[in-house]
Amino acid sequence: MSKITDWLEDRTGYRAVLSTAFDERIPGGASFAYVFGSVLIFMLGLQFVTGVLLALYYSPSASDAWASVAYIQDQAAVGWFIRGLHHHGASAIIICAGLHMLQTAVWGAYKKPREVTWMVGVLMLALLLAFALTGYLLPWDQTGYWATKVATGIAGTSPGVGEQLQQLAQSGNEYGNLTITRFFALHVFVLPALLIGLVTVHIWLFRRHGVTPRWGKSDAALEGKVDLFWPKQVFRDAVAMAIVFAILLAVNFMTHGAGLDAPADPASNFAARPEWYFRPLFQLLKYFHGSLEHVVALGTPVVVAVVLLGLPFADRGSSRSPRARLKYLAVLAAGVVGIGMLTVLSFSEDASNKKYQAQIAESEKQADKARELAATYGVPPAGGMAVFTTEPGYRAQKIFADKCAGCHTGTDRQGPAIGPGYNSRAWIRAFLKNPSGDEFFGPTKIHKMKPVTLEAKDFDAVVEMVYAETGAADADAALVSRGKELFDNDGNCWNCHSIDWETTGDVGPNLGRRGSVDMLTEFIADPAHARWFGDNNAMPAFADKLSEADRRLLAEHILRLQAMPLPTTQN
């Protein structure tokens, strides 16, 4: 081993590099107060590693982005874990960077000769927020799409160059392939290169000027206890990294990684919210309207940047004691308190907003449905939104919406309501009790049928008999048999209806196979057939408007409604 290390030393001189890295002097001794920088480097490394792993599966295009992220989240081996680390790691970096800057400010580490070190740190924080903004769009889901669109829309109102900035980001009037390609290029090429450059400069400046010891200690006291970076400070840094990583793992497991909304739908009206670190600005904008909103949206970040970058030049005193710098620290404290209050207000208002919570619930329902379809059937080449077309019965639902919904749903119906629970036991029971009700034949000219009046047990038997005609596998055979006896012997039934499928010309429709797929397929083709409504019919025939295959799909869709809960208004 010594020969190998000597060979490496002779060719690379690595021992001098290690010595430079680990022999750094720490006046006053090692301390957990100095761990934030190392933790941030560790977190950045974790982000780079997880980002590369995600990029192996990710496809930056409007048609494939959501599908690739859904595959990572739900199908790739430990994909949800890697994506969760990357997602929650972004939040952890913002928190650590914020704490690092606060500690730096309290300790006065921005003072001469460390002004440039502080300013580079502020620029690094801005880059971290830019990472978050560009990464938010990449899943191409509802939240990322709409939140980023709002952000670029605000940028587009910038005086002079706003329109050009928006066009540069979007590469067109609307979001599309070039938009996501540009955000991806910024996120994985441009911003990392800039960040690596700033981190290098920051570390070089830090090593040049050394750590900033706690205020109030004389030079003699500091020199009286000097530790080297290795091993005491390295140990403390490693403990801090382990704690942060453990917390990150715990959060990742508790949330099962990062969330993923339904695919981006430009035609929707999605109530998007930014990530928590942009919530203060989001909340602040609620208090301004019109042109003032744009002024505040653009001016607030500028004011914050000016305050932070100008701090070393405003506070030029020699003392680093917080007592001697109260007015400067008070400004920072006010900013931190304001940011915290705006963040809390934003989340609390959303929590009490019933309309928003209902939208969130519906959004989560759509997201779960989209991801389940993607995992089961895959995502069509047309893109994320096309995943909904893979749902069994999708074509039938579309046919129903186009051809049937106008007459059979809503308040302006011209025919019986067709929806969840249609042809179920509960629906048949409600119909027999009030066939001319508004949910049944009330809106039509077919309202001659009288309510069925039977004793409870006999009524149940007739209901079961009619229900069995749909082909239901769970029909009670004994009740069905009793229902047929009542049907044959009770003049209120057989005088108006047959139940043999073949008989035509009765007062009422033939009840044979009523509600089954075969019956509905033929009925949709010609509802005026003598087997059913004859001259009383008002429903158009679809024999020439829909193919037999489409009519059968529609019949299957109507039969599937049977298993869904019936609305309480019809019970």
Side-chain angles (χ1 to χ4, degrees):
M1 180 60 69
S2 63
K3 289 182 179 180
I4 293 175
T5 56
D6 289 343
W7 185 87
L8 285 173
E9 168 62 22
D10 185 53
R11 270 74 176 173
T12 64
Y14 78 94
R15 286 172 181 160
V17 176
L18 292 179
S19 177
T20 302
F22 289 108
D23 292 346
E24 177 191 0
R25 297 175 75 255
I26 305 177
S31 171
F32 278 103
Y34 305 138
V35 302
F36 285 110
S38 296
V39 169
L40 280 170
I41 295 298
F42 166 72
M43 293 302 301
L44 286 173
L46 182 64
Q47 289 300 96
F48 281 124
V49 171
T50 54
V52 168
L53 293 175
L54 293 175
L56 296 176
Y57 291 91
Y58 180 72
S59 178
S61 71
S63 59
D64 297 332
W66 186 88
S68 62
V69 176
Y71 180 82
I72 292 169
Q73 187 70 22
D74 298 322
Q75 298 182 66
V78 300
W80 69 268
F81 179 77
I82 300 299
R83 182 167 176 260
L85 283 180
H86 194 74
H87 173 80
H88 296 303
S91 294
I93 283 182
I94 300 296
I95 293 172
C96 289
L99 292 174
H100 187 38
M101 291 195 70
L102 283 176
Q103 182 221 21
T104 302
V106 171
W107 286 46
Y110 54 78
K111 287 180 171 291
K112 180 182 178 180
R114 298 179 176 87
E115 299 97 330
V116 177
T117 310
W118 167 266
M119 295 170 69
V120 171
V122 173
L123 294 177
M124 287 168 59
L125 178 60
L127 279 183
L128 292 177
L129 293 174
F131 265 107
L133 184 62
T134 54
Y136 211 40
L137 177 69
L138 298 186
W140 205 250
D141 63 353
Q142 286 282 68
T143 296
Y145 179 90
W146 287 105
T148 311
K149 193 162 189 177
V150 170
T152 55
I154 292 174
T157 63
S158 302
V161 297
E163 186 176 349
Q164 288 79 5
L165 284 175
Q166 188 172 8
Q167 287 290 322
L168 182 63
Q170 293 181 185
S171 186
N173 294 326
E174 294 296 334
Y175 275 28
N177 276 325
L178 287 178
T179 310
I180 197 169
T181 302
R182 292 187 178 187
F183 273 72
F184 179 74
L186 285 171
H187 192 74
V188 303
F189 297 117
V190 179
L191 292 178
L194 292 174
L195 186 60
I196 290 172
L198 288 179
V199 168
T200 302
V201 172
H202 194 70
I203 293 175
W204 177 72
L205 290 171
F206 168 74
R207 296 302 297 269
R208 174 180 172 82
H209 301 299
V211 300
T212 304
R214 191 180 183 278
W215 65 92
K217 290 186 178 182
S218 65
D219 292 341
L222 293 173
E223 289 298 325
K225 183 182 180 182
V226 176
D227 288 329
L228 297 180
F229 184 63
W230 173 269
K232 290 185 178 180
Q233 189 59 46
V234 170
F235 172 76
R236 287 167 172 77
D237 290 352
V239 170
M241 293 176 192
I243 291 173
V244 171
F245 190 55
I247 295 172
L248 186 60
L249 288 176
V251 171
N252 198 27
F253 278 110
M254 286 189 295
T255 59
H256 195 71
L260 179 64
D261 280 325
D265 181 7
S268 67
N269 187 21
F270 186 77
R273 295 293 189 272
E275 278 287 8
W276 65 268
Y277 29 80
F278 291 121
R279 282 278 190 150
L281 182 58
F282 172 78
Q283 182 67 20
L284 184 63
L285 294 179
K286 292 182 181 180
Y287 307 125
F288 300 91
H289 305 282
S291 59
L292 275 179
E293 181 180 1
H294 300 298
V295 171
V296 173
L298 298 170
T300 301
V302 173
V303 170
V304 172
V306 169
V307 169
L308 292 177
L309 292 173
L311 182 60
F313 306 100
D315 182 9
R316 300 178 66 85
S318 59
S319 176
R320 290 191 294 105
S321 171
R323 292 184 179 181
R325 300 179 292 115
L326 286 178
K327 61 180 180 180
Y328 302 106
L329 294 180
V331 172
L332 294 178
V336 172
V337 171
I339 288 172
M341 290 179 62
L342 288 170
T343 303
V344 171
L345 277 173
S346 180
F347 281 105
S348 62
E349 287 183 5
D350 279 350
S352 59
N353 187 331
K354 293 182 179 179
K355 181 179 179 180
Y356 174 71
Q357 292 301 320
Q359 290 176 327
I360 289 297
E362 179 61 27
S363 172
E364 291 175 350
K365 181 179 177 182
Q366 286 294 99
D368 291 342
K369 180 179 180 180
R371 288 170 60 180
E372 182 179 353
L373 290 172
T376 306
Y377 303 105
V379 180
M385 280 299 295
V387 72
F388 294 108
T389 66
T390 64
E391 181 181 12
Y394 172 81
R395 178 168 175 77
Q397 292 178 42
K398 190 174 186 305
I399 294 172
F400 184 87
D402 293 341
K403 305 293 185 182
C404 311
C407 293
H408 292 284
T409 62
T411 56
D412 297 329
R413 288 180 293 100
Q414 300 175 33
I418 298 179
Y422 183 72
N423 274 340
S424 64
R425 290 185 179 93
W427 186 93
I428 295 169
R429 179 182 298 277
F431 172 78
L432 293 179
K433 286 183 177 180
N434 184 22
S436 296
D438 183 63
E439 297 297 325
F440 307 112
F441 286 146
T444 74
K445 64 181 181 180
I446 306 173
H447 55 269
K448 298 178 182 178
M449 180 175 174
K450 297 179 180 180
V452 174
T453 55
L454 292 169
E455 294 183 5
K457 292 183 178 180
D458 290 343
F459 192 90
D460 289 343
V462 172
V463 168
E464 196 72 9
M465 181 205 71
V466 177
Y467 175 70
E469 291 298 317
T470 67
D474 61 340
D476 186 312
L479 275 179
V480 172
S481 178
R482 173 59 180 159
K484 288 183 177 180
E485 290 179 12
L486 290 167
F487 185 88
D488 291 337
N489 298 321
D490 184 357
N492 287 335
C493 296
W494 66 263
N495 281 345
C496 297
H497 301 279
S498 297
I499 198 169
D500 61 358
W501 179 256
E502 299 298 336
T503 302
T504 60
D506 287 333
V507 174
N510 192 312
L511 300 183
R513 307 179 195 174
R514 184 196 170 280
S516 67
V517 171
D518 290 338
M519 176 268 174
L520 288 171
T521 301
E522 292 195 23
F523 175 79
I524 293 168
D526 184 16
H529 190 280
R531 183 184 293 120
W532 295 300
F533 292 119
D535 294 337
N536 290 325
N537 176 69
M539 176 177 165
F542 287 90
D544 296 330
K545 299 176 182 179
L546 293 173
S547 66
E548 182 177 356
D550 281 348
R551 295 199 307 273
R552 192 166 190 84
L553 284 174
L554 185 56
E556 291 170 350
H557 168 68
I558 293 173
L559 187 60
R560 277 196 294 271
L561 296 173
Q562 186 182 69
M564 300 180 183
L566 186 71
T568 54
T569 55
Q570 294 185 41
N571 283 325

mmCIF file with all atom_site columns, all heavy atoms in Angstrom, residues 13-26:
data_model
loop_
_atom_site.group_PDB
_atom_site.id
_atom_site.type_symbol
_atom_site.label_atom_id
_atom_site.label_alt_id
_atom_site.label_comp_id
_atom_site.label_asym_id
_atom_site.label_entity_id
_atom_site.label_seq_id
_atom_site.pdbx_PDB_ins_code
_atom_site.Cartn_x
_atom_site.Cartn_y
_atom_site.Cartn_z
_atom_site.occupancy
_atom_site.B_iso_or_equiv
_atom_site.pdbx_formal_charge
_atom_site.auth_seq_id
_atom_site.auth_comp_id
_atom_site.auth_asym_id
_atom_site.auth_atom_id
_atom_site.pdbx_PDB_model_num
ATOM 1   N N   . GLY A 1 13 ? 1.042   14.418 -6.469 1.00 0.00 ? 13 GLY A N   1
ATOM 2   C CA  . GLY A 1 13 ? 1.257   15.355 -5.362 1.00 0.00 ? 13 GLY A CA  1
ATOM 3   C C   . GLY A 1 13 ? 0.020   15.499 -4.491 1.00 0.00 ? 13 GLY A C   1
ATOM 4   O O   . GLY A 1 13 ? -0.245  16.572 -3.937 1.00 0.00 ? 13 GLY A O   1
ATOM 5   N N   . TYR A 1 14 ? -0.763  14.422 -4.353 1.00 0.00 ? 14 TYR A N   1
ATOM 6   C CA  . TYR A 1 14 ? -2.040  14.491 -3.656 1.00 0.00 ? 14 TYR A CA  1
ATOM 7   C C   . TYR A 1 14 ? -1.896  14.792 -2.167 1.00 0.00 ? 14 TYR A C   1
ATOM 8   O O   . TYR A 1 14 ? -2.797  15.333 -1.532 1.00 0.00 ? 14 TYR A O   1
ATOM 9   C CB  . TYR A 1 14 ? -2.828  13.192 -3.859 1.00 0.00 ? 14 TYR A CB  1
ATOM 10  C CG  . TYR A 1 14 ? -2.362  12.029 -3.008 1.00 0.00 ? 14 TYR A CG  1
ATOM 11  C CD1 . TYR A 1 14 ? -2.961  11.768 -1.782 1.00 0.00 ? 14 TYR A CD1 1
ATOM 12  C CD2 . TYR A 1 14 ? -1.326  11.196 -3.427 1.00 0.00 ? 14 TYR A CD2 1
ATOM 13  C CE1 . TYR A 1 14 ? -2.540  10.705 -0.998 1.00 0.00 ? 14 TYR A CE1 1
ATOM 14  C CE2 . TYR A 1 14 ? -0.894  10.140 -2.656 1.00 0.00 ? 14 TYR A CE2 1
ATOM 15  C CZ  . TYR A 1 14 ? -1.509  9.895  -1.437 1.00 0.00 ? 14 TYR A CZ  1
ATOM 16  O OH  . TYR A 1 14 ? -1.096  8.840  -0.659 1.00 0.00 ? 14 TYR A OH  1
ATOM 17  N N   . ARG A 1 15 ? -0.725  14.441 -1.572 1.00 0.00 ? 15 ARG A N   1
ATOM 18  C CA  . ARG A 1 15 ? -0.552  14.665 -0.142 1.00 0.00 ? 15 ARG A CA  1
ATOM 19  C C   . ARG A 1 15 ? -0.570  16.154 0.192  1.00 0.00 ? 15 ARG A C   1
ATOM 20  O O   . ARG A 1 15 ? -1.101  16.567 1.228  1.00 0.00 ? 15 ARG A O   1
ATOM 21  C CB  . ARG A 1 15 ? 0.754   14.021 0.330  1.00 0.00 ? 15 ARG A CB  1
ATOM 22  C CG  . ARG A 1 15 ? 0.657   12.498 0.400  1.00 0.00 ? 15 ARG A CG  1
ATOM 23  C CD  . ARG A 1 15 ? 2.000   11.857 0.670  1.00 0.00 ? 15 ARG A CD  1
ATOM 24  N NE  . ARG A 1 15 ? 1.890   10.400 0.719  1.00 0.00 ? 15 ARG A NE  1
ATOM 25  C CZ  . ARG A 1 15 ? 2.913   9.574  0.564  1.00 0.00 ? 15 ARG A CZ  1
ATOM 26  N NH1 . ARG A 1 15 ? 4.137   10.067 0.344  1.00 0.00 ? 15 ARG A NH1 1
ATOM 27  N NH2 . ARG A 1 15 ? 2.729   8.266  0.620  1.00 0.00 ? 15 ARG A NH2 1
ATOM 28  N N   . ALA A 1 16 ? -0.029  16.954 -0.689 1.00 0.00 ? 16 ALA A N   1
ATOM 29  C CA  . ALA A 1 16 ? -0.059  18.400 -0.470 1.00 0.00 ? 16 ALA A CA  1
ATOM 30  C C   . ALA A 1 16 ? -1.486  18.928 -0.533 1.00 0.00 ? 16 ALA A C   1
ATOM 31  O O   . ALA A 1 16 ? -1.879  19.825 0.238  1.00 0.00 ? 16 ALA A O   1
ATOM 32  C CB  . ALA A 1 16 ? 0.805   19.108 -1.505 1.00 0.00 ? 16 ALA A CB  1
ATOM 33  N N   . VAL A 1 17 ? -2.286  18.338 -1.433 1.00 0.00 ? 17 VAL A N   1
ATOM 34  C CA  . VAL A 1 17 ? -3.697  18.747 -1.547 1.00 0.00 ? 17 VAL A CA  1
ATOM 35  C C   . VAL A 1 17 ? -4.451  18.380 -0.275 1.00 0.00 ? 17 VAL A C   1
ATOM 36  O O   . VAL A 1 17 ? -5.213  19.189 0.276  1.00 0.00 ? 17 VAL A O   1
ATOM 37  C CB  . VAL A 1 17 ? -4.347  18.086 -2.775 1.00 0.00 ? 17 VAL A CB  1
ATOM 38  C CG1 . VAL A 1 17 ? -5.837  18.430 -2.839 1.00 0.00 ? 17 VAL A CG1 1
ATOM 39  C CG2 . VAL A 1 17 ? -3.649  18.518 -4.054 1.00 0.00 ? 17 VAL A CG2 1
ATOM 40  N N   . LEU A 1 18 ? -4.242  17.143 0.204  1.00 0.00 ? 18 LEU A N   1
ATOM 41  C CA  . LEU A 1 18 ? -4.903  16.718 1.433  1.00 0.00 ? 18 LEU A CA  1
ATOM 42  C C   . LEU A 1 18 ? -4.457  17.558 2.619  1.00 0.00 ? 18 LEU A C   1
ATOM 43  O O   . LEU A 1 18 ? -5.257  17.898 3.501  1.00 0.00 ? 18 LEU A O   1
ATOM 44  C CB  . LEU A 1 18 ? -4.624  15.238 1.689  1.00 0.00 ? 18 LEU A CB  1
ATOM 45  C CG  . LEU A 1 18 ? -5.262  14.238 0.719  1.00 0.00 ? 18 LEU A CG  1
ATOM 46  C CD1 . LEU A 1 18 ? -4.861  12.816 1.089  1.00 0.00 ? 18 LEU A CD1 1
ATOM 47  C CD2 . LEU A 1 18 ? -6.778  14.371 0.728  1.00 0.00 ? 18 LEU A CD2 1
ATOM 48  N N   . SER A 1 19 ? -3.188  17.869 2.638  1.00 0.00 ? 19 SER A N   1
ATOM 49  C CA  . SER A 1 19 ? -2.670  18.686 3.735  1.00 0.00 ? 19 SER A CA  1
ATOM 50  C C   . SER A 1 19 ? -3.328  20.058 3.734  1.00 0.00 ? 19 SER A C   1
ATOM 51  O O   . SER A 1 19 ? -3.721  20.580 4.787  1.00 0.00 ? 19 SER A O   1
ATOM 52  C CB  . SER A 1 19 ? -1.158  18.826 3.611  1.00 0.00 ? 19 SER A CB  1
ATOM 53  O OG  . SER A 1 19 ? -0.644  19.679 4.624  1.00 0.00 ? 19 SER A OG  1
ATOM 54  N N   . THR A 1 20 ? -3.468  20.624 2.541  1.00 0.00 ? 20 THR A N   1
ATOM 55  C CA  . THR A 1 20 ? -4.119  21.929 2.431  1.00 0.00 ? 20 THR A CA  1
ATOM 56  C C   . THR A 1 20 ? -5.571  21.856 2.887  1.00 0.00 ? 20 THR A C   1
ATOM 57  O O   . THR A 1 20 ? -6.088  22.766 3.532  1.00 0.00 ? 20 THR A O   1
ATOM 58  C CB  . THR A 1 20 ? -4.058  22.433 0.979  1.00 0.00 ? 20 THR A CB  1
ATOM 59  O OG1 . THR A 1 20 ? -2.702  22.522 0.563  1.00 0.00 ? 20 THR A OG1 1
ATOM 60  C CG2 . THR A 1 20 ? -4.716  23.800 0.843  1.00 0.00 ? 20 THR A CG2 1
ATOM 61  N N   . ALA A 1 21 ? -6.234  20.739 2.557  1.00 0.00 ? 21 ALA A N   1
ATOM 62  C CA  . ALA A 1 21 ? -7.649  20.594 2.888  1.00 0.00 ? 21 ALA A CA  1
ATOM 63  C C   . ALA A 1 21 ? -7.872  20.316 4.367  1.00 0.00 ? 21 ALA A C   1
ATOM 64  O O   . ALA A 1 21 ? -8.800  20.865 4.976  1.00 0.00 ? 21 ALA A O   1
ATOM 65  C CB  . ALA A 1 21 ? -8.263  19.478 2.049  1.00 0.00 ? 21 ALA A CB  1
ATOM 66  N N   . PHE A 1 22 ? -7.034  19.478 4.973  1.00 0.00 ? 22 PHE A N   1
ATOM 67  C CA  . PHE A 1 22 ? -7.312  19.014 6.335  1.00 0.00 ? 22 PHE A CA  1
ATOM 68  C C   . PHE A 1 22 ? -6.485  19.698 7.419  1.00 0.00 ? 22 PHE A C   1
ATOM 69  O O   . PHE A 1 22 ? -6.783  19.534 8.600  1.00 0.00 ? 22 PHE A O   1
ATOM 70  C CB  . PHE A 1 22 ? -7.085  17.499 6.418  1.00 0.00 ? 22 PHE A CB  1
ATOM 71  C CG  . PHE A 1 22 ? -8.118  16.705 5.686  1.00 0.00 ? 22 PHE A CG  1
ATOM 72  C CD1 . PHE A 1 22 ? -7.796  16.055 4.500  1.00 0.00 ? 22 PHE A CD1 1
ATOM 73  C CD2 . PHE A 1 22 ? -9.413  16.609 6.150  1.00 0.00 ? 22 PHE A CD2 1
ATOM 74  C CE1 . PHE A 1 22 ? -8.746  15.324 3.801  1.00 0.00 ? 22 PHE A CE1 1
ATOM 75  C CE2 . PHE A 1 22 ? -10.366 15.884 5.474  1.00 0.00 ? 22 PHE A CE2 1
ATOM 76  C CZ  . PHE A 1 22 ? -10.043 15.235 4.292  1.00 0.00 ? 22 PHE A CZ  1
ATOM 77  N N   . ASP A 1 23 ? -5.480  20.448 7.025  1.00 0.00 ? 23 ASP A N   1
ATOM 78  C CA  . ASP A 1 23 ? -4.632  21.086 8.039  1.00 0.00 ? 23 ASP A CA  1
ATOM 79  C C   . ASP A 1 23 ? -5.019  22.538 8.291  1.00 0.00 ? 23 ASP A C   1
ATOM 80  O O   . ASP A 1 23 ? -4.234  23.319 8.814  1.00 0.00 ? 23 ASP A O   1
ATOM 81  C CB  . ASP A 1 23 ? -3.157  21.015 7.617  1.00 0.00 ? 23 ASP A CB  1
ATOM 82  C CG  . ASP A 1 23 ? -2.620  19.589 7.635  1.00 0.00 ? 23 ASP A CG  1
ATOM 83  O OD1 . ASP A 1 23 ? -3.307  18.725 8.219  1.00 0.00 ? 23 ASP A OD1 1
ATOM 84  O OD2 . ASP A 1 23 ? -1.553  19.350 7.050  1.00 0.00 ? 23 ASP A OD2 1
ATOM 85  N N   . GLU A 1 24 ? -6.238  22.897 7.906  1.00 0.00 ? 24 GLU A N   1
ATOM 86  C CA  . GLU A 1 24 ? -6.704  24.270 8.145  1.00 0.00 ? 24 GLU A CA  1
ATOM 87  C C   . GLU A 1 24 ? -6.764  24.554 9.648  1.00 0.00 ? 24 GLU A C   1
ATOM 88  O O   . GLU A 1 24 ? -7.300  23.758 10.421 1.00 0.00 ? 24 GLU A O   1
ATOM 89  C CB  . GLU A 1 24 ? -8.098  24.464 7.524  1.00 0.00 ? 24 GLU A CB  1
ATOM 90  C CG  . GLU A 1 24 ? -8.691  25.833 7.795  1.00 0.00 ? 24 GLU A CG  1
ATOM 91  C CD  . GLU A 1 24 ? -10.170 25.909 7.417  1.00 0.00 ? 24 GLU A CD  1
ATOM 92  O OE1 . GLU A 1 24 ? -10.711 24.892 6.949  1.00 0.00 ? 24 GLU A OE1 1
ATOM 93  O OE2 . GLU A 1 24 ? -10.775 26.972 7.614  1.00 0.00 ? 24 GLU A OE2 1
ATOM 94  N N   . ARG A 1 25 ? -6.235  25.695 10.038 1.00 0.00 ? 25 ARG A N   1
ATOM 95  C CA  . ARG A 1 25 ? -6.222  26.079 11.448 1.00 0.00 ? 25 ARG A CA  1
ATOM 96  C C   . ARG A 1 25 ? -7.574  26.673 11.836 1.00 0.00 ? 25 ARG A C   1
ATOM 97  O O   . ARG A 1 25 ? -8.183  27.435 11.090 1.00 0.00 ? 25 ARG A O   1
ATOM 98  C CB  . ARG A 1 25 ? -5.117  27.101 11.715 1.00 0.00 ? 25 ARG A CB  1
ATOM 99  C CG  . ARG A 1 25 ? -3.713  26.573 11.454 1.00 0.00 ? 25 ARG A CG  1
ATOM 100 C CD  . ARG A 1 25 ? -2.661  27.650 11.620 1.00 0.00 ? 25 ARG A CD  1
ATOM 101 N NE  . ARG A 1 25 ? -2.430  27.948 13.034 1.00 0.00 ? 25 ARG A NE  1
ATOM 102 C CZ  . ARG A 1 25 ? -2.868  29.044 13.652 1.00 0.00 ? 25 ARG A CZ  1
ATOM 103 N NH1 . ARG A 1 25 ? -3.579  29.945 12.985 1.00 0.00 ? 25 ARG A NH1 1
ATOM 104 N NH2 . ARG A 1 25 ? -2.586  29.259 14.934 1.00 0.00 ? 25 ARG A NH2 1
ATOM 105 N N   . ILE A 1 26 ? -8.045  26.321 13.022 1.00 0.00 ? 26 ILE A N   1
ATOM 106 C CA  . ILE A 1 26 ? -9.311  26.838 13.542 1.00 0.00 ? 26 ILE A CA  1
ATOM 107 C C   . ILE A 1 26 ? -9.026  27.513 14.881 1.00 0.00 ? 26 ILE A C   1
ATOM 108 O O   . ILE A 1 26 ? -9.020  26.857 15.934 1.00 0.00 ? 26 ILE A O   1
ATOM 109 C CB  . ILE A 1 26 ? -10.352 25.718 13.722 1.00 0.00 ? 26 ILE A CB  1
ATOM 110 C CG1 . ILE A 1 26 ? -10.549 24.965 12.391 1.00 0.00 ? 26 ILE A CG1 1
ATOM 111 C CG2 . ILE A 1 26 ? -11.675 26.286 14.205 1.00 0.00 ? 26 ILE A CG2 1
ATOM 112 C CD1 . ILE A 1 26 ? -11.494 23.807 12.490 1.00 0.00 ? 26 ILE A CD1 1
#
